[in-house]
């Protein structure tokens, strides 16, 4: 006790020598911690923030309650008031005699001292009325721990009782975990369920031991790890804790633990542990696998610890043979808002913290996440997901994408219509024919890709069949690759015009070569990708009609060609800048310098969307995924790419504008002649 607390108690004794020392902060079911009626807040002025005041509990409770001064008001800090005699309960289920220790140590575990007059819920022999006892009122407590259940369940889950029950469970796990049969596990789960109830989560914030939730997790894991699987499997279900066990062997096709549990009175939450088939192949013999689900433990850990982390799903504990190193865990998110992402983590027991290196995200959507986690020890490991602000599912990005795609599709249709109208006027030379030929194919491929993008989104959202999603992904992959390869062809054409002035290529040779590059290469890559990954069900990613990443890295079949072409076309732009004419010796520099800068800027502006350089901004979103500015820039540049192609590839081309003007004049002349 510190000096301020001692002075506080001294002042209390001087002012009110005859007043009983009560603890108005003692809670009961339905009450909220911190609802003070008298005591520190009213009897002692609260001046200095951080000052502690300690009070003893009311006569029917043992322990003490402490309050802290915050904003001139006493707030409850810890509440150790309890009315459970856990020492006596432990002695009932063990073979030990009561210990004559004033500190109440039982088998190395610490229980608060319970002196004369401290009540135990229920009366001696009451347990016989609930659980098959003999005629003399003796129940087989050591066989299934059932005799202590009435006392536990009839006690309020106040902070002090929570701390004592955690200590009781810890000592049971350490000392009474031999031959853990179904009866023992059921009783143990009922006790744990009492303090895991969603209605008492807020009380955990006032438990004196801030690591009590971690101690509970370790204790449950330790006890459940000794569970005997008499018939090859076990399933013990409570509202807020569920334990499942299976016998597993190498010939199994895969094993999963599926949980769907009550989170509170109005909602449920689910989770799943999957042992992949390739992991089961590592087993030398039949082994045991056990998993435990805790739907409310995440909020309890959050309430009892000062860490600014929020668990966004149930906590899943798993015990596997040491040969199995990787498991898949699927978590349903509690918070399903669009801007809330997830981070896969494992619980680091020795350091009592979440470890983000234990797992990696495999796939994610708005409602769920799938994690791949390491499991390299033959002990329980616990995993969950945290809320992650780094995933930018932002309404602004969705709006930009929708508007951009709509405008791009309209722009590309207009671009193709203009090219059709002026084709004979702008393709009179070989080089202009080749340029407009590439432009038309870029626009066509991007138009089809944008439409397929919308189709793929509709297919996924409508939850249509798997084959349709595979087909949409295949053609989406094909035509987006075609866009890049036609941009690559245009880049090669620009280099041909700049560097190979005296080398002539015929129109037919160019068309054949361009089609092989523009459509042949994407077709080969797309077919190989689906042929290699689809037989292993690794073509699609979870939650979207698009290429898989975590299992098969199928997405590399798009990313590597696309980024390689962006790099090559960037080199083409550099060559264009270098080849831009410089002023000769003796000429006035300033006007020519300004003219060259304008010409260079115009060339770069024209070539950037036509050669796909805007996709290079995607690297910025990878390097800094927290930056909304990078994501918005990338979305603007690429969602509106069709509009930029219309603007820079068609409308700003001098020969195209002249051809349009001639067509307009010709149309007016024909109209005038018709009127005459």
């Amino acid at each position: 006790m510190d000096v301020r607390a001692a002075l506080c108690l001294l002042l209390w004794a001087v002012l009110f020598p005859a007043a009983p020392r009560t603890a108005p902060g003692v809670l009961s079911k339905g009450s909220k911690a911190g609802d003070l009626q008298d005591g520190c807040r009213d009897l002692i002025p609260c001046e200095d923030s951080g000052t502690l005041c300690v009070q003893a509990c009311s006569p029917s409770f043992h322990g003490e309650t402490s309050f802290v001064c915050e904003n001139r008001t006493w707030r409850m800090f810890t509440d150790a008031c309890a009315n459970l005699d856990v020492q006596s309960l432990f002695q009932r289920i063990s073979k030990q005699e009561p210990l004559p220790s004033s500190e109440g140590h039982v088998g190395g575990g610490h229980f608060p001292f319970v002196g004369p007059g401290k009540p135990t819920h229920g009366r001696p022999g009451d347990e016989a009325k609930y659980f098959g006892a003999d005629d003399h009122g003796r129940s087989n407590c050591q066989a299934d721990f059932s005799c202590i259940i009435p006392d536990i369940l009839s006690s309020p889950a106040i902070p002090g009782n929570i701390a004592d029950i955690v200590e009781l469970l810890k000592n049971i796990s350490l000392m009474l975990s031999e031959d853990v049969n179904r009866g023992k596990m059921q009783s143990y789960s009922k006790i744990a369920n009492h303090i895991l109830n969603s209605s008492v989560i807020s009380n955990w914030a006032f438990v004196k031991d801030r690591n009590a939730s971690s101690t509970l997790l370790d204790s449950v894991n330790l006890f459940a790890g000794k569970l005997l699987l008499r018939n090859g499997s076990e399933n013990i279900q409570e509202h807020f804790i569920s334990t499942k066990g299976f016998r597993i062997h190498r010939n199994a096709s895969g094993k999963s633990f599926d949980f769907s549990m009550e989170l509170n009175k109005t909602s449920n939450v689910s989770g799943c542990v999957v042992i992949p088939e390739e992991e089961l192949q590592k087993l030398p013999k039949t082994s045991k696998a056990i998993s435990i689900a805790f739907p409310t433990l995440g909020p309890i850990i959050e309430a009892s610890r000062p860490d600014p982390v929020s668990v966004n799903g149930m906590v899943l504990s798993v015990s596997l043979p040491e040969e199995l190193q990787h498991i898949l865990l699927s978590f349903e998110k509690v918070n399903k808002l669009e801007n809330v992402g997830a981070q896969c983590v494992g619980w680091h027991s020795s350091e009592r913290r979440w470890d983000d290196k234990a797992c990696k995200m495999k796939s994610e959507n708005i409602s769920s996440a799938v994690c791949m986690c390491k499991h390299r020890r033959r002990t329980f490991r616990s995993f969950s997901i945290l809320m992650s602000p780094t995933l930018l599912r932002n309404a602004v990005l969705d709006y930009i994408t929708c508007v951009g795609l709509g405008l791009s599709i309209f722009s590309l249709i207009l671009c193709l219509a203009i090219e059709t109208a002026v084709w004979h006027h702008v393709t009179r030379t070989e080089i202009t024919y080749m340029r407009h030929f590439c432009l038309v194919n870029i626009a066509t491929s991007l138009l089809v890709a944008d439409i397929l993008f919308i189709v793929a989104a509709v297919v996924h959202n409508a939850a249509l069949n798997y084959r349709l999603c595979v087909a949409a992904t295949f053609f989406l992959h094909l035509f987006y690759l075609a866009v890049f390869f036609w941009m690559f062809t245009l880049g090669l054409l620009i280099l041909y015009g700049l560097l190979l002035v005296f080398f002539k290529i015929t129109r037919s040779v160019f068309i054949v070569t361009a089609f092989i590059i523009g459509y042949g290469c994407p077709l080969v890559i797309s077919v190989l990708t689906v042929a290699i990954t689809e037989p292993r069900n690794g073509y699609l990613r979870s939650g979207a009609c698009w290429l898989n990443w975590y299992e098969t890295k199928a997405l590399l079949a798009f990313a590597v060609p696309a980024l390689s072409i962006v790099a090559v076309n960037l080199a083409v732009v550099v060559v264009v800048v270098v080849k831009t004419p410089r002023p000769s010796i003796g000429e006035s520099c300033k006007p020519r310098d300004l003219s060259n800068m304008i010409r260079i800027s115009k060339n770069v502006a024209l070539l950037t969307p036509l050669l796909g350089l805007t996709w290079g901004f995607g690297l910025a979103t990878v390097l800094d995924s927290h930056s909304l500015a990078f994501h918005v820039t990338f979305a603007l540049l690429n969602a509106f790419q069709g509009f930029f192609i219309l603007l820079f590839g068609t409308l700003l081309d001098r020969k195209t504008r002249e051809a349009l003007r001639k067509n307009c004049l010709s149309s007016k002349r024909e109209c005038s002649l018709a009127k005459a």
Side-chain angles (χ1 to χ4, degrees):
M1 181 181 298
D2 60 20
V3 176
R4 290 182 178 178
L7 291 175
C8 178
L9 290 177
L10 180 61
L11 182 60
W12 179 286
V14 171
L15 294 176
F16 303 94
R21 297 172 64 194
T22 61
V26 172
L27 305 180
S28 60
K29 284 189 176 180
S31 65
K32 295 183 179 179
D35 291 343
L36 307 181
Q37 301 301 322
D38 49 23
C40 288
R41 185 182 70 176
D42 296 327
L43 300 179
I44 301 176
C46 176
E47 297 292 342
D48 298 329
S49 293
T51 302
L52 285 176
C53 182
V54 181
Q55 292 182 212
C57 302
S58 61
S60 59
F61 293 83
H62 57 270
E64 61 185 21
T65 306
S66 64
F67 304 93
V68 64
C69 182
E70 291 182 1
N71 299 323
R72 301 179 63 83
T73 304
W74 290 109
R75 301 291 184 188
M76 183 179 287
F77 184 59
T78 61
D79 180 5
C81 294
N83 63 345
L84 267 176
D85 183 356
V86 289
Q87 184 184 37
S88 175
L89 296 178
F90 184 80
Q91 289 164 1
R92 281 197 222 169
I93 60 177
S94 67
K95 298 178 182 179
Q96 297 189 16
E97 295 298 326
L99 297 177
S101 169
S102 61
E103 294 181 356
H105 289 276
V106 179
H110 178 75
F111 288 119
F113 172 69
V114 182
K118 302 299 181 183
T120 298
H121 277 269
R123 295 185 299 274
D126 277 357
E127 63 273 10
K129 293 182 289 186
Y130 297 95
F131 304 98
D134 58 25
D135 295 336
H136 300 285
R138 294 189 298 269
S139 64
N140 192 10
C141 247
Q142 295 173 8
D144 59 9
F145 307 156
S146 58
C147 65
I148 67 172
I149 301 301
D151 287 4
I152 299 292
L153 299 187
S154 62
S155 66
I158 58 178
N161 282 346
I162 289 174
D164 285 354
I165 291 173
V166 169
E167 194 70 22
L168 174 65
L169 292 173
K170 175 184 175 182
N171 281 275
I172 292 174
S173 298
L174 291 174
M175 301 180 58
L176 306 177
S177 58
E178 294 181 0
D179 299 325
V180 179
N181 54 32
R182 178 178 178 82
K184 287 183 179 180
M185 194 67 227
Q186 283 179 322
S187 297
Y188 195 96
S189 298
K190 288 180 184 296
I191 298 171
N193 185 76
H194 183 58
I195 57 177
L196 288 168
N197 195 299
S198 59
S199 64
V200 301
I201 291 175
S202 60
N203 288 354
W204 280 84
F206 303 99
V207 174
K208 192 170 184 179
D209 181 7
R210 298 303 184 190
N211 293 318
S213 57
S214 178
T215 301
L216 174 64
L217 176 60
D218 293 340
S219 301
V220 174
N221 287 343
L222 177 61
F223 193 79
K226 306 292 182 62
L227 178 62
L228 301 174
L229 305 180
R230 298 298 186 186
N231 298 317
S233 65
E234 198 62 83
N235 184 0
I236 298 169
Q237 180 81 41
E238 294 291 335
H239 285 297
F240 302 102
I241 178 173
S242 177
T243 304
K244 295 184 179 183
F246 294 113
R247 291 287 179 185
I248 55 176
H249 53 85
R250 64 181 305 164
N251 295 325
S253 58
K255 202 69 179 178
S256 65
F257 301 89
D258 298 294
F259 300 96
S260 180
M261 302 176 66
E262 180 180 329
L263 180 63
N264 50 49
K265 293 182 179 179
T266 59
S267 63
N268 288 5
V269 66
S270 63
C272 180
V273 179
V274 178
I275 307 174
E277 181 179 355
E278 56 269 22
E279 288 291 312
L280 291 174
Q281 298 299 317
K282 301 175 183 178
L283 290 176
K285 59 182 180 179
T286 300
S287 303
K288 179 172 68 174
I290 296 176
S291 183
I292 312 172
F294 305 88
T296 59
L297 187 59
I300 286 173
I301 292 176
E302 181 183 350
S304 59
R305 296 177 64 85
D307 305 349
V309 296
S310 182
V311 180
N312 198 21
M314 62 169 51
V315 176
L316 296 175
S317 286
V318 189
S319 176
L320 299 175
E322 57 189 5
E323 292 85 3
L324 307 185
Q325 297 184 358
H326 295 91
I327 53 174
L328 292 174
L329 297 107
S330 176
F331 298 95
E332 179 186 359
K333 294 180 182 178
V334 177
N335 189 333
K336 297 181 174 66
L337 295 178
E338 291 188 357
N339 61 343
V340 175
Q343 181 181 12
C344 299
V345 290
W347 180 253
H348 203 300
S349 295
S350 60
E351 299 182 10
R352 300 183 184 275
R353 64 174 178 85
W354 293 111
D355 182 8
D356 58 359
K357 296 181 180 179
C359 302
K360 65 178 181 179
M361 183 67 69
K362 185 176 176 63
S363 62
E364 182 188 6
N365 55 39
I366 293 176
S367 61
S368 63
V370 178
C371 305
M372 173 73 78
C373 298
K374 301 175 184 177
H375 192 287
R376 295 183 177 177
R377 293 182 292 176
R378 199 183 177 85
T379 56
F380 263 95
R381 295 292 305 275
S382 302
F383 307 95
S384 191
I385 56 171
L386 304 180
M387 289 188 186
S388 173
T390 60
L391 184 63
L392 290 173
R393 283 200 187 96
N394 192 283
V396 174
L397 296 177
D398 295 338
Y399 180 77
I400 290 173
T401 301
C402 293
V403 173
L405 282 176
L407 182 59
S408 286
I409 290 173
F410 173 78
S411 300
L412 291 169
I413 293 174
L414 183 59
C415 175
L416 293 174
I418 293 174
E419 288 292 329
T420 302
V422 302
W423 182 258
H424 295 293
H425 298 282
V426 298
T427 58
R428 292 176 179 175
T429 65
E430 295 293 324
I431 194 68
T432 56
Y433 177 88
M434 297 174 186
R435 176 188 177 278
H436 284 273
F437 187 81
C438 290
L439 181 63
V440 167
N441 281 280
I442 290 172
T444 303
S445 300
L446 185 58
L447 175 61
V448 176
D450 284 347
I451 294 173
L452 287 171
F453 183 90
I454 297 174
V455 171
V458 171
V459 167
H460 168 62
N461 292 334
L464 297 180
N465 63 63
Y466 178 81
R467 291 183 179 180
L468 190 58
C469 194
V470 170
T473 302
F474 172 80
F475 287 106
L476 189 62
H477 184 204
L478 171 64
F479 280 97
Y480 266 124
L481 278 181
V483 172
F484 281 98
F485 275 95
W486 276 106
M487 289 176 174
F488 175 63
T489 305
L490 180 59
L492 294 179
L493 181 64
I494 292 172
L495 288 180
Y496 162 74
L498 289 174
L499 303 179
L500 303 176
V501 180
F502 301 104
F503 181 80
K504 301 298 181 184
I505 184 173
T506 62
R507 184 177 298 186
S508 59
V509 171
F510 169 77
I511 292 176
V512 172
T513 305
F515 265 97
I516 292 175
I517 296 174
Y519 292 119
C521 292
L523 182 61
V524 171
I525 295 173
S526 301
V527 170
L528 288 177
T529 302
V530 70
I532 293 172
T533 60
E534 178 55 24
R536 295 184 289 161
N537 293 324
Y539 184 60
L540 299 179
R541 67 172 57 187
S542 175
C545 291
W546 185 233
L547 300 172
N548 186 289
W549 170 249
Y550 289 102
E551 290 90 353
T552 61
K553 300 293 188 292
L555 184 60
L556 289 176
F558 172 75
V560 171
L563 293 179
S564 299
I565 290 172
V566 169
V568 171
N569 285 350
L570 180 61
V572 171
V573 173
V574 172
V575 172
V576 171
V577 172
V578 171
K579 286 290 184 178
T580 301
R582 301 290 193 273
S584 59
I585 298 175
E587 290 184 347
S588 176
C589 290
K590 290 185 178 179
R592 292 297 298 271
D593 282 348
L594 181 60
S595 175
N596 285 332
M597 287 299 296
I598 294 174
R599 183 179 299 179
I600 290 172
S601 300
K602 181 180 178 181
N603 288 337
V604 172
L606 290 172
L607 294 176
T608 295
L610 293 179
L611 297 182
L613 301 187
T614 54
W615 286 80
F617 284 89
L619 292 175
T621 64
V622 174
L623 296 175
D624 186 2
S625 60
H626 300 265
S627 175
L628 179 62
F630 285 159
H631 284 270
V632 170
T633 302
F634 182 68
L636 281 171
L637 291 175
N638 291 285
F640 288 86
Q641 190 170 12
F643 170 73
F644 293 141
I645 288 174
L646 170 67
L647 179 63
F648 295 112
T650 302
L651 298 181
L652 293 182
D653 181 66
R654 182 175 54 84
K655 292 184 177 180
T656 301
R657 292 200 306 272
E658 291 177 355
L660 283 174
R661 190 180 300 111
K662 290 179 180 178
N663 281 351
C664 289
L665 292 175
S666 176
S667 298
K668 288 181 180 179
R669 189 178 300 110
E670 291 178 0
C671 183
S672 299
L673 291 174
K675 289 180 179 179

